[in-house]
Amino acid sequence: MSKKPVIAIMYDFDKTLCTKDMQNYEFIPSLGIPVDDFWAEVNKTSKENNMDGLLCYMYMMLKKAAAKDIPVRRENFVALGKKIEYFPGVEEWFERINRYGEKMGVAIEHYVISSGIQEIIEGSSIYKNFKKTYACEFLYDINGVAVWPKNVVNFTTKTQFLFRINKGELDISDDKKLNTYIPMEERRIPFHNMIYIGDGLTDVPCMKLVKQSGGQSIAVFRRRNKTTAAKLMTEDRVNFITEANYSEGKELDTIVKTIIDKMAVVDTLTELTRKHKKSIEN
């Protein structure tokens, strides 16, 4: 019996699934610093030192915590995940879409590709729904205190994770398998079976790659604030834009289910074609 085709839905996290940058819910306020002031200092320091913006915000998190004599441990970050607030319908979304995929004869897998903090995502109520999450991580010393950025997922390196998912090589420490040649037809999840959901310019490389490779990209926006998403649509970087409302029956729900319908039919036709060719050859 042949395996079910797999469809991968990949998400940014901040302002895609949750309503703002995850550091803004609890971590930055706990330092006694206004959120806008923290990010302004990150931007200033990044420009003055010609520094990657994501490395800069991770450095600044540790610097500000040290100034307040606040040790930052892994469990502290994980606990912050419980403070996250989601867009409508997010917490019910995954099981509902999985059930729909089963109905259509395909398996749905969910992934996160985020420039946020991996440890905070791990503490979130929705973490259990993801096959794999890729995000920025800290390295911890012998006392369990964060001392250095371990992994950084910036705007362009996000695309490497599409290829990891495409090939089924999910281990971030194994570049050899990632770069080994695998014929397109033998890859675990073809690009045309990928859906990427993000909120803005930081997602453009992934959105564009998925769209150009036959998959579907969706830009979501906060209610009455669709300027960025509309720009992505007019620039032909995404297939759809819609409000970040994951509730049943809303536009995003309809779009994703319709995409799954299409992908399921294409997979069925591809398998029929394969069997037909094989029968002729024999």
Side-chain angles (χ1 to χ4, degrees):
M1 186 175 181
S2 60
K3 294 181 180 178
K4 286 183 180 179
V6 180
I7 293 173
I9 307 180
M10 297 153 293
Y11 310 81
D12 182 30
F13 203 93
D14 295 348
K15 292 175 282 190
T16 295
L17 295 172
C18 65
T19 58
K20 56 188 176 182
D21 291 329
M22 62 183 70
Q23 301 88 347
N24 294 1
Y25 290 106
E26 191 76 14
F27 182 82
I28 298 173
S30 74
L31 300 174
I33 304 170
V35 167
D36 290 345
D37 290 356
F38 175 86
W39 292 112
E41 186 171 354
V42 168
N43 291 334
K44 181 174 180 290
T45 303
S46 175
K47 289 178 181 177
E48 287 177 349
N49 293 280
N50 196 27
M51 185 179 184
D52 180 276
L54 300 179
L55 280 170
C56 190
Y57 95 66
M58 296 177 77
Y59 161 75
M60 199 65 69
M61 288 174 74
L62 298 184
K63 177 183 176 182
K64 295 297 184 183
K68 294 284 186 177
D69 199 25
I70 300 173
V72 180
R73 293 183 169 85
R74 195 175 205 286
E75 57 265 31
N76 301 133
F77 280 126
V78 173
L80 293 176
K82 296 177 174 57
K83 308 292 184 179
I84 289 175
E85 298 173 4
Y86 305 101
F87 285 114
V90 165
E91 292 184 281
E92 300 78 38
W93 165 265
F94 304 97
E95 289 187 9
R96 184 172 73 250
I97 294 300
N98 291 347
R99 288 195 302 270
Y100 190 80
E102 289 176 8
K103 176 184 172 184
M104 297 305 299
V106 298
I108 307 293
E109 293 180 355
H110 305 273
Y111 297 84
V112 165
I113 306 175
S114 170
S115 296
I117 302 296
Q118 169 72 14
E119 295 89 332
I120 297 178
I121 295 172
E122 289 179 14
S124 70
S125 63
I126 61 174
Y127 177 67
K128 62 182 181 293
N129 297 291
F130 302 110
K131 183 174 179 67
K132 185 72 175 177
T133 58
Y134 296 107
C136 301
E137 290 184 81
F138 286 97
L139 182 69
Y140 299 88
D141 66 15
I142 193 170
N143 298 310
V145 177
V147 294
W148 196 261
K150 182 173 77 170
N151 291 315
V152 177
V153 179
N154 67 27
F155 315 140
T156 52
T157 59
K158 278 187 170 187
T159 56
Q160 74 153 293
F161 303 109
L162 299 181
F163 288 96
R164 289 191 180 280
I165 295 165
N166 169 238
K167 293 183 174 183
E169 302 297 344
L170 304 182
D171 182 356
I172 194 171
S173 66
D174 193 338
D175 291 332
K176 184 176 181 180
K177 287 185 179 179
L178 174 64
N179 293 311
T180 299
Y181 173 73
I182 302 175
M184 287 294 183
E185 64 275 10
E186 295 178 15
R187 298 186 182 190
R188 184 172 181 271
I189 305 178
F191 279 100
H192 61 73
N193 272 16
M194 290 185 175
I195 304 170
Y196 189 91
I197 303 177
D199 69 281
L201 297 178
T202 62
D203 300 299
V204 165
C206 284
M207 288 173 163
K208 190 73 173 179
L209 177 58
V210 169
K211 184 176 183 294
Q212 288 181 332
S213 303
Q216 300 284 318
S217 292
I218 304 169
V220 295
F221 56 86
R222 186 186 292 272
R223 191 176 181 185
R224 296 187 297 274
N225 187 19
K226 63 177 181 180
T227 302
T228 299
K231 188 172 187 290
L232 293 174
M233 188 73 176
T234 58
E235 292 175 348
D236 199 30
R237 296 181 174 189
V238 297
N239 300 93
F240 302 96
I241 66 170
T242 185
E243 184 181 345
N245 188 332
Y246 294 76
S247 302
E248 187 167 14
K250 295 298 183 179
E251 187 175 42
L252 179 57
D253 183 68
T254 299
I255 289 170
V256 170
K257 286 177 178 176
T258 304
I259 291 171
I260 291 171
D261 292 345
K262 175 190 174 183
M263 290 179 174
V265 170
V266 169
D267 281 326
T268 299
L269 289 173
T270 300
E271 180 63 14
L272 286 173
T273 300
R274 187 191 67 79
K275 288 181 179 178
H276 186 67
K277 286 182 177 179
K278 189 175 180 180
S279 66
I280 293 174
E281 291 170 358
N282 292 337

